[in-house]
Amino acid sequence: MLSEKIKNMKGKLIVSCQALPNEPLHSSFIMGRMAKAAMEGGALGIRANTPEDIEEIKKNVDLPVIGIWKKDFDDSKVYITPTMEEIDALVKTGTEIIALDATADLRPGGVKLDDFYAEIREKYPEQLLMADCSTVEEALHADKLGFDFIGTTLVGYTEQSRGDRIEENDFSIIREILAKASHPVVAEGNINTPEKAKRVIELGCYCVVVGSIITRPQIITKGFASALENSEITEGA
């Protein structure tokens, strides 16, 4: 049963407020303020990384949070909420939805997604879970497992999806998932214009997550600066 806050996300914008340790805005305090700015701009949910950031964000906004914890392991390509340690910590924050890598890649220790999912469900049967997928096949497998939300977060970011672009052919990947999945689909990944965000909702996605183009000023600035590098200067301007 979805809470009213989760229901309010339907058809709306979720803003991903994240800054990794090597980024200029890396700070739980700043992410809390970023979330507040996103809320004032009309966001109906926040996606956030690490328990510390989530706890700070929850002090600043009364919006549902899709929580993750990115960690790198030497024996696995999976880095989005890869083990039970991250799940346990995220549950303690009260994050409404926990997102995790739901690709075909093995988790640390050689753990398969199916086994990890079963372990989470046994320990936290009421916790809402979102599957971060990179292919149609992965999305449909996550749907069959019973994830509450199916996300396109990792399209183009894994070996099995390399070269794929979520927006190609009028979001053909999303349209195929929508046609075959029984759980709500969350559009995420390279949704970098208002027009794209509007389109995925029109297609039937439950909500849309937008990140870097809103919350990473270094990336936004680079787009402007790169455009000017190739511009012609008018004589006498």
Side-chain angles (χ1 to χ4, degrees):
M1 191 70 170
L2 300 181
S3 67
E4 282 304 311
K5 286 201 296 184
I6 301 296
K7 290 179 181 178
N8 289 341
M9 290 167 49
K10 189 172 184 179
K12 302 300 182 181
L13 173 67
I14 312 304
V15 172
S16 183
C17 297
Q18 299 182 45
L20 298 174
N22 63 332
E23 295 180 294
L25 297 188
H26 178 65
S27 159
S28 295
F29 173 81
I30 292 175
M31 289 303 103
R33 297 295 175 167
M34 188 76 78
K36 187 172 184 179
M39 180 184 70
E40 291 183 2
L44 265 294
I46 303 294
R47 180 168 165 123
N49 175 41
T50 76
E52 293 79 13
D53 282 10
I54 293 168
E55 288 169 355
E56 183 63 25
I57 285 168
K58 283 186 166 292
K59 293 176 184 177
N60 284 270
V61 301
D62 185 24
L63 294 176
V65 174
I66 300 173
I68 63 172
W69 193 353
K70 293 179 177 177
K71 276 190 180 181
D72 293 319
F73 287 81
D74 292 336
D75 64 340
S76 175
K77 300 172 186 174
V78 173
Y79 62 92
I80 298 178
T81 321
T83 74
M84 278 303 297
E85 180 181 355
E86 291 77 62
I87 295 289
D88 290 338
L90 290 170
V91 168
K92 290 178 182 178
T93 69
T95 188
E96 285 78 5
I97 301 170
I98 293 178
L100 56 135
D101 181 305
T103 68
D105 295 322
L106 293 176
R107 314 187 85 79
V111 177
K112 294 180 179 179
L113 173 65
D114 296 40
D115 296 329
F116 187 54
Y117 176 83
E119 184 181 0
I120 298 170
R121 282 298 192 209
E122 182 177 359
K123 191 171 184 178
Y124 303 110
E126 302 302 317
Q127 177 66 56
L128 294 176
L129 300 175
M130 174 174 161
D132 286 347
C133 305
S134 70
T135 67
V136 172
E137 293 74 21
E138 290 169 351
L140 296 180
H141 181 67
D143 182 62
K144 186 176 180 180
L145 282 176
F147 277 87
D148 301 285
F149 297 92
I150 311 301
T152 56
T153 317
L154 293 171
V155 173
Y157 293 100
T158 62
E159 286 186 12
Q160 58 268 33
S161 67
R162 184 167 293 160
D164 291 341
R165 293 191 62 81
I166 196 173
E167 71 272 26
E168 282 188 343
N169 300 316
D170 190 26
F171 297 97
S172 60
I173 290 174
I174 285 179
R175 286 190 284 114
E176 186 173 354
I177 295 170
L178 284 167
K180 298 177 180 178
S182 59
H183 292 88
V185 175
V186 177
E188 182 174 5
N190 292 310
I191 311 291
N192 53 13
T193 69
E195 291 75 22
K196 290 179 184 179
K198 181 181 179 183
R199 181 57 178 154
V200 295
I201 295 301
E202 290 173 344
L203 290 173
C205 289
Y206 191 82
C207 58
V208 55
V209 178
V210 178
S212 298
I213 201 64
I214 294 177
T215 58
R216 282 191 163 103
Q218 72 273 25
I219 292 176
I220 303 167
T221 303
K222 186 177 181 180
F224 282 90
S226 296
L228 295 180
E229 285 178 4
N230 299 318
S231 65
E232 295 182 4
I233 300 175
T234 303
E235 192 74 28

